[in-house]
Amino acid sequence: MSLLLWAKGPGFALAAVLFLLGTAMRLAEILRLGRGTDLARPRGAAGGQALRTVFSRFLPAPGLFARSPVVHAGGYVFHIGLLVVVIGYGPHLAVLGIGGRGLPAGLIDGVTLLTMAAMTALLAARLRDPVKRLISGPGDYGAWGLVFLPLATGFLLVNRVLLPFEPLLALHLLSVEVMLALLPFTKLVHAFTFVLARGYAGAIAGRKGAHS
Amino acid sequence: MSDSPGLATLLRHHGIGRRDFLTFCAGLASALALPPVLAPKLAHALEAARRPSVIWLSFQECTGCTESLTRADQPSLEQIILSMVSLDYHHTLQAASGAAAEAARRQAMADNHGRYLVMADGSIPLGDPGYCTIGGMSSADLLAQTVAGAAAVIAVGSCAAFGGLAAAEPNPTGAVPISRLVTGKPVVNIPGCPPLPLAMTGVIAHFLAFGRLPELDSLGRPRVFYGETIHDRCPRRAFYDQGLFAKSFDDEGARQGWCLFQLGCKGPTTRNACATVKWNGGTSFPIGSGHPCLGCSQPSFWDAGGFYRPLSRPAGLGPGMAAAAVAAGAALGAVAASKRPSERQPVTLDDLETKS
Ligand code: SF4
């Protein structure tokens, strides 16, 4: 069986099972843990603040953007770029079973390059900052690599650089599968858990009568 | 080599003038990636070449490859080139049958020992010799006996080159390609279901003109015909690059001639010259006629994940499997959560210090 066929068949099935199983496990664990009972009298509504916080944290806290522009700008470019590449490219839409034409390949190419550049800048910023370097471990660098590889192999595939189409497609699929399989067990799981984390933080603040 | 009229006589016999022949040689030279200045030399070499004996063996095949070569309504120049060879044995085309046919094969082998070409279509069944016997011999024995004195072996079609249809899952006959059983002889694969006639005749012409086989790729295919992918030369490529894909065979995209990737086109992973040489006298080729490339010149193309499934689309999980994974994950998560509090509470200063 060729690498491509393995990646499209058993490899994908394995990655999908690990992804679904792991994500369900992590979410169930967080939900089941819940929060400790707060015996104090509530001074505000928890629900509204929880919902508000999920969205308000998409914006930087006042003053923070100016203090670390690279991290903020890079973070936006990287996250939005990743979203555009994943759900804006025609062949991805077909794989996801969504209709639609998709964005032009040239635009996707540009966004991919921009996203990879933003990721590189973020990595450099992390390595140059002594505090960030100290609190970064293999999990952080590993997660960076897990996201960077699908972008890089996708770019090479569309432009057919270095290798022919077939091995590049196999490598691209494999890199996506490794990312999917490991996502629930690495820091990448924040793609789902950010909603719960922000919600809990908002609820706690809201119950105390504070804006989060 | 057989004593028979040379190419010049044959051409005259078929009413083909020298100008047409030179035009063909210029085309052939470009197909063989030779510089244009070599076209007259190629013509001269072909005219001067003597007819090599060719023994054509057919094993587990459908005769489509022979059809591809011989079905043209009018004799084509490719056929003329092919008629340069002395086809001493071919089940479908020879008049003799039975013992007489086998005697002709043995005679040709004895007369041209070390110089004849073996062309073979079809795969060899190793599961049970009874699946394909010729003149009381198993396919493997017939092949071994015939290639023993050959100058080179040309495996014609995807069955001979890679096992093809017979070798598709679950391969009930234990079919293997010709190259698996031939050792010590040059083997050239000309895959395709069927292969382009020009690829077959081009290899023969190269052998006649230069006395050796053309340069081959890692799958034993002549690079001149299999060096590029269909996608490299596809007329729909601009649409692929713009992200314009036909989603069904009768939607607006299909009518506009958009890329067929999402209808399962295997052009990006298929090496062949269909997009440039085309079929039926240069009329068209599958993608030109609105059908995705099936990838017939690649190994295992029958088992490559479905003709109409996009190359990049994974096989997917059944809903049952997906639901089971989610349910199992949720259960594991709940169990993990119920164990955690005793492990983590109360958090003391000592705990924190040990961790840091
Ligand atoms: S139709 Fe096939 S070969 Fe042509 S551009 Fe689309 S994917 Fe490539």
Side-chain angles (χ1 to χ4, degrees):
Chain A
M1 186 184 282
S2 76
L3 193 62
L4 177 59
L5 283 186
W6 189 88
K8 283 171 70 175
F12 178 79
L14 191 68
V17 164
L18 284 172
F19 170 74
L20 291 173
L21 187 135
T23 307
M25 191 177 100
R26 297 299 297 268
L27 291 179
E29 188 180 352
I30 293 171
L31 289 170
R32 180 82 207 283
L33 273 175
R35 309 298 313 177
T37 327
D38 188 346
L39 299 174
R41 190 154 39 88
R43 301 181 66 184
Q49 270 305 308
L51 196 65
R52 211 183 97 97
T53 309
V54 169
F55 294 99
S56 68
R57 295 278 167 95
F58 280 120
L59 298 173
L64 272 189
F65 198 103
R67 266 173 56 188
S68 45
V70 173
V71 170
H72 281 85
Y76 280 119
V77 171
F78 154 55
H79 280 93
I80 295 170
L82 192 62
L83 198 70
V84 169
V85 170
V86 171
I87 62 170
Y89 187 43
H92 290 172
L93 292 179
V95 171
L96 295 169
I98 309 169
R101 180 195 274 199
L103 298 168
L107 180 66
I108 295 290
D109 246 11
V111 173
T112 309
L113 280 177
L114 215 60
T115 309
M116 289 196 292
M119 286 188 75
T120 311
L122 287 170
L123 182 66
R126 182 180 285 265
L127 289 170
R128 286 182 51 175
D129 186 318
V131 177
K132 285 202 194 97
R133 209 169 50 227
L134 197 68
I135 59 169
S136 301
D140 298 281
Y141 299 117
W144 185 93
L146 285 178
V147 178
F148 193 83
L149 273 181
L151 283 167
T153 52
F155 181 80
L156 295 181
L157 171 65
V158 170
N159 295 285
R160 278 177 307 140
V161 190
L162 293 181
L163 290 172
F165 189 92
E166 185 167 343
L168 278 178
L169 179 57
L171 287 179
H172 182 56
L173 287 176
L174 284 174
S175 66
V176 172
E177 285 162 11
V178 171
M179 185 190 70
L180 273 183
L182 295 181
L183 185 143
F185 312 104
T186 57
K187 292 191 177 182
L188 297 178
V189 77
H190 78 269
F192 298 105
T193 54
F194 83 94
V195 180
L196 298 176
R198 290 182 188 179
Y200 278 148
I204 292 167
R207 197 169 192 281
K208 291 176 178 164
H211 278 295
S212 170
Chain B
M1 306 278 164
S2 306
D3 280 336
S4 42
L7 186 59
T9 318
L10 272 167
L11 289 175
R12 273 197 302 280
H13 180 72
H14 282 91
I16 291 170
R18 184 154 175 80
R19 180 182 293 270
D20 289 335
F21 177 62
L22 287 177
T23 308
F24 171 71
C25 286
L28 191 63
S30 107
L32 289 170
L34 300 172
V37 287
L38 279 188
K41 289 202 169 122
L42 182 69
H44 182 71
L46 285 177
E47 281 178 320
R50 302 193 57 201
R51 298 177 72 199
S53 166
V54 168
I55 297 177
W56 186 302
L57 302 175
S58 296
F59 301 111
Q60 295 190 127
E61 47 83 39
C62 69
T63 316
C65 298
T66 301
E67 276 277 318
S68 158
L69 206 54
T70 56
R71 68 173 302 148
D73 292 339
Q74 297 188 337
S76 64
L77 278 162
E78 281 100 324
Q79 280 176 279
I80 302 298
I81 292 290
L82 193 68
S83 66
M84 276 197 72
V85 302
S86 169
L87 199 51
D88 291 330
Y89 180 85
H90 188 304
H91 293 166
T92 313
L93 302 179
Q94 73 192 137
S97 63
E102 293 310 308
R105 177 176 63 84
R106 279 192 290 273
Q107 188 65 51
M109 285 165 58
D111 292 349
N112 303 289
H113 190 83
R115 297 190 307 262
Y116 61 89
L117 287 175
V118 171
M119 295 183 79
D121 59 350
S123 59
I124 310 286
L126 293 187
D128 182 331
Y131 286 127
C132 182
T133 62
I134 296 117
M137 287 177 85
S138 73
S139 301
D141 288 347
L142 178 66
L143 179 70
Q145 188 189 79
T146 312
V147 301
V153 182
I154 302 177
V156 175
S158 289
C159 295
F162 304 131
L165 176 61
E169 289 289 335
N171 191 356
T173 65
V176 297
I178 299 295
S179 57
R180 266 276 294 277
L181 301 177
V182 176
T183 47
K185 302 279 173 194
V187 179
V188 52
N189 287 329
I190 308 187
C193 194
L196 284 165
L198 185 65
M200 297 188 240
T201 51
V203 170
I204 295 173
H206 193 283
F207 184 76
L208 290 180
F210 305 111
R212 59 184 164 80
L213 294 168
E215 192 197 345
L216 307 179
D217 69 6
S218 61
L219 294 173
R221 303 176 294 196
R223 274 189 205 282
V224 284
F225 298 108
Y226 298 89
E228 290 183 316
T229 65
I230 299 291
H231 190 68
D232 287 330
R233 295 304 186 101
C234 180
R236 297 182 190 237
R237 177 62 189 271
F239 295 116
Y240 175 93
D241 290 338
Q242 289 171 55
L244 298 175
F245 301 99
K247 301 278 170 44
S248 76
F249 284 103
D250 56 359
D251 70 357
E252 187 54 23
R255 275 189 285 277
Q256 297 289 335
W258 290 355
C259 169
L260 303 170
F261 184 86
Q262 293 187 17
L263 290 172
C265 185
K266 305 293 183 288
T269 53
T270 304
R271 292 180 176 273
N272 208 336
C274 305
T276 41
V277 174
K278 305 211 170 89
W279 288 84
N280 298 329
T283 308
S284 187
F285 75 118
I287 292 172
S289 310
H291 194 280
C293 166
L294 300 182
C296 74
S297 55
Q298 293 300 120
S300 310
F301 85 98
W302 291 97
D303 297 322
F307 289 161
Y308 299 102
R309 175 178 280 275
L311 259 176
S312 56
R313 184 177 297 169
L317 278 188
M321 184 84 134
V326 170
L332 282 173
V335 170
S338 63
K339 281 192 179 157
R340 284 284 171 83
S342 61
E343 287 168 15
R344 68 189 164 94
Q345 279 180 351
V347 179
T348 64
L349 203 56
D350 284 347
D351 287 339
L352 292 177
E353 277 175 354
T354 354
K355 269 190 187 166
S356 57

